[in-house]
Amino acid sequence: MKTFLFVAFGVLLLTGCGQGQSGGGTNPVVDDDVHPQPQTITVEEDDFKLSLFTNKAVYKEKEPVDIWAEFGFFGEEETMTIGHAMHYLGFYIEQTDGDLTFPYMMPEPYILTTLKQGEWEKTDYEKSTGFVGGDPNAAFYKKWLEEDEVTFPPGTYKVTVVAHFIIDMSENDLLTEREKTSYTMEQSLEFTVTR
């Protein structure tokens, strides 16, 4: 009787271990489209935080690349006003295994933005680049800028987000004796585009 129970227990154990497997017990292949590997990295300076994101580490050729950054003020005050150019965040992308670069270009008026304490502000990557007529990649850049989707040719890319701003010297700042301070924060990550 003990032998019978032991054998029955062993059969049940083997049956349970085999469930959910197919193809001779091999594990199923995980598709990146079903289980993307999001990338994120954060830097903090004084009362400010800057995070950079992309949905995947690896994209397929012609697949839209999703890049964004979040920036926030996390000090004691309820709000903080910063001064900056057209945007306080800019993205720079370079192909590390090739010669493509995608710098950010923006007008430089002086704009004030008020950040609320503890709230992240999201900025999506928008296409931007600069080149001169003699650039061997000029035709590519022109075509790339005309396309609606954000895609990149096969290769490995480093994306850097830069936050450049100053603490605005308003009357409220004078009352709290906060000095006019200039900040440049940046963070980078890599992604790959495969054929």
Side-chain angles (χ1 to χ4, degrees):
M1 182 68 174
K2 287 182 182 178
T3 304
F4 175 75
L5 288 174
F6 181 74
V7 171
F9 178 73
V11 170
L12 287 173
L13 184 63
L14 288 173
T15 304
C17 289
Q19 288 181 350
Q21 294 183 354
S22 61
T26 59
N27 290 327
V29 175
V30 177
D31 187 351
D32 279 342
D33 289 335
V34 178
H35 301 285
Q37 301 168 354
Q39 302 292 298
T40 181
I41 192 162
T42 300
V43 64
E44 185 173 347
E45 186 174 341
D46 294 338
D47 296 332
F48 300 94
K49 292 181 184 179
L50 173 64
S51 294
L52 177 61
F53 302 85
T54 183
N55 272 347
K56 296 181 178 183
V58 179
Y59 291 87
K60 294 177 183 170
E61 187 175 11
K62 298 185 180 178
E63 178 182 5
V65 176
D66 195 9
I67 301 167
W68 72 97
E70 293 184 359
F71 177 75
F73 168 70
F74 295 87
E76 294 180 2
E77 295 92 336
E78 289 185 12
T79 62
M80 175 56 60
T81 301
I82 60 172
H84 53 86
M86 182 63 74
H87 307 285
Y88 52 84
L89 294 183
F91 295 87
Y92 178 83
I93 299 176
E94 62 180 327
Q95 186 182 26
T96 59
D97 58 354
D99 60 352
L100 297 176
T101 59
F102 305 88
Y104 60 95
M105 316 295 271
M106 71 173 78
E108 296 190 4
Y110 185 67
I111 295 176
L112 297 177
T113 297
T114 299
L115 304 169
K116 292 183 180 178
Q117 193 273 346
E119 292 187 11
W120 289 97
E121 298 288 332
K122 181 181 177 186
T123 302
D124 291 315
Y125 171 75
E126 294 181 3
K127 286 185 177 183
S128 177
T129 193
F131 56 91
V132 292
D135 188 324
N137 295 315
F140 166 79
Y141 291 133
K142 287 178 185 176
K143 183 180 177 190
W144 182 78
L145 286 169
E146 291 171 357
E147 296 169 353
D148 292 332
E149 299 286 352
V150 177
T151 61
F152 296 93
T156 300
Y157 295 87
K158 178 182 178 183
V159 56
T160 301
V161 63
V162 179
H164 184 70
F165 60 96
I166 63 170
I167 304 296
D168 185 57
M169 196 64 145
S170 66
E171 289 182 9
N172 290 337
D173 294 324
L174 288 171
L175 291 174
T176 60
E177 298 181 3
R178 179 183 288 275
E179 293 180 1
K180 186 173 185 178
T181 306
S182 176
Y183 287 83
T184 301
M185 300 170 65
E186 68 178 64
Q187 196 56 271
S188 301
L189 57 77
E190 289 191 350
F191 64 91
T192 301
V193 178
T194 60
R195 293 190 187 281

